[in-house]
Amino acid sequence: NAGVTQTPKFRVLKTGQSMTLLCAQDMNHEYMYWYRQDPGMGLRLIHYSVGEGTTAKGEVPDGYNVSRLKKQNFLLGLESAAPSQTSVYFCASSYSASRPDTQYFGPGTRLTVL
Amino acid sequence: EDQVTQSPEALRLQEGESSSLNCSYTVSGLRGLFWYRQDPGKGPEFLFTLYSAGEEKEKERLKATLTKKESFLHITAPKPEDSATYLCAVQASYNQGGKLIFGQGTELSVKP
């Protein structure tokens, strides 16, 4: 049982390049989340999904797109990277949100945009 | 506006010196308050969930408590391995999708 995994662990992009971050969970969780963590800003929600085929915007969605084609995977895309997207990205999942339910986090992806 | 504020930003303790971390929150209906531990270069690791005022939970040297406006994470006789950043987050009852609102964290350093 690997829990929540993220690939890649590190990535350096040039401004304007695109990339996709992959999150996978093997806990059969319904809900999945993408957060970014910046110094002094705490963790902020980018997008989330309440089930396969569904996505919704979080607090800071601009410049990002997501897809949840399979229940166990949640993809975060950057179509045209900007330096302001330099951050550490965390994926999380939870069984549901119909009750206070624990979100379990992956190890993170450190992205630098030059 | 829902908000979570943690204090202090950083805390340095000697091994064995007990202390408390504070998490003050403003939310329109609390569904749950969560404490996480985060080690450098790693993802947050779940510690506790508290649901209602008066509730307490313990794990080894850590004890979390909850009132209607704040939560405390008490650390008794800390060891160097307790050094980490401790994150507090709240989930609002109106919140569709289970969004967590995080504080900025308290960086704890325990010296031997």
Side-chain angles (χ1 to χ4, degrees):
Chain A
N1 191 336
V4 180
T5 58
Q6 294 181 233
T7 53
K9 288 184 170 56
F10 302 93
R11 186 72 186 268
V12 178
L13 291 179
K14 294 182 179 179
T15 297
Q17 288 185 320
S18 64
M19 77 163 295
T20 300
L21 283 65
L22 171 64
C23 175
Q25 53 92 6
D26 61 1
M27 297 175 283
N28 200 34
H29 284 172
E30 289 291 333
Y31 287 61
M32 296 187 75
Y33 309 83
W34 276 107
Y35 292 87
R36 61 178 289 174
Q37 187 174 40
D38 303 290
M41 300 293 291
L43 280 152
R44 293 179 293 168
L45 183 66
I46 304 171
H47 286 281
Y48 64 97
S49 168
V50 300
E52 183 177 317
T54 74
T55 63
K57 293 180 180 180
E59 182 184 358
V60 287
D62 293 343
Y64 304 96
N65 56 77
V66 288
S67 63
R68 183 110 180 260
L69 299 180
K70 294 182 179 181
K71 185 178 181 178
Q72 64 267 34
N73 295 338
F74 195 27
L75 278 62
L76 178 71
L78 286 73
E79 290 187 349
S80 180
S84 61
Q85 294 178 305
T86 294
S87 186
V88 182
Y89 292 85
F90 289 101
C91 176
S93 70
S94 66
Y95 182 72
S96 75
S98 60
R99 56 185 174 88
D101 204 4
T102 302
Q103 291 184 20
Y104 294 92
F105 284 78
T109 295
R110 184 173 295 275
L111 175 65
T112 301
V113 183
L114 301 176
Chain B
E1 180 184 350
D2 298 336
Q3 194 170 358
V4 177
T5 303
Q6 292 186 245
S7 62
E9 291 185 10
L11 181 62
R12 293 187 175 189
L13 299 174
Q14 289 295 126
E15 184 173 2
E17 179 186 2
S18 301
S19 188
S20 297
L21 282 57
N22 177 263
C23 171
S24 298
Y25 64 90
T26 304
V27 64
S28 304
L30 180 70
R31 177 182 283 180
L33 184 141
F34 300 79
W35 281 99
Y36 287 86
R37 169 190 171 127
Q38 186 174 24
D39 293 301
K42 298 193 175 181
E45 176 187 346
F46 170 72
L47 292 174
F48 303 108
T49 307
L50 301 168
Y51 300 104
S52 58
E55 188 175 2
E56 299 182 353
K57 289 193 176 175
E58 290 188 65
K59 179 180 180 181
E60 296 182 353
R61 295 175 293 282
L62 300 177
K63 179 180 178 180
T65 62
L66 181 65
T67 72
K68 289 187 177 180
K69 294 184 177 180
E70 57 191 355
S71 176
F72 292 94
L73 185 65
H74 307 278
I75 303 176
T76 302
K79 298 182 178 181
E81 53 262 42
D82 294 321
S83 297
T85 296
Y86 291 85
L87 304 174
C88 172
V90 298
Q91 194 175 71
S93 58
Y94 64 83
N95 193 330
Q96 299 301 314
K99 171 186 173 182
L100 289 179
I101 302 164
F102 280 87
Q104 295 184 9
T106 293
E107 185 177 353
L108 174 65
S109 175
V110 182
K111 300 299 183 184

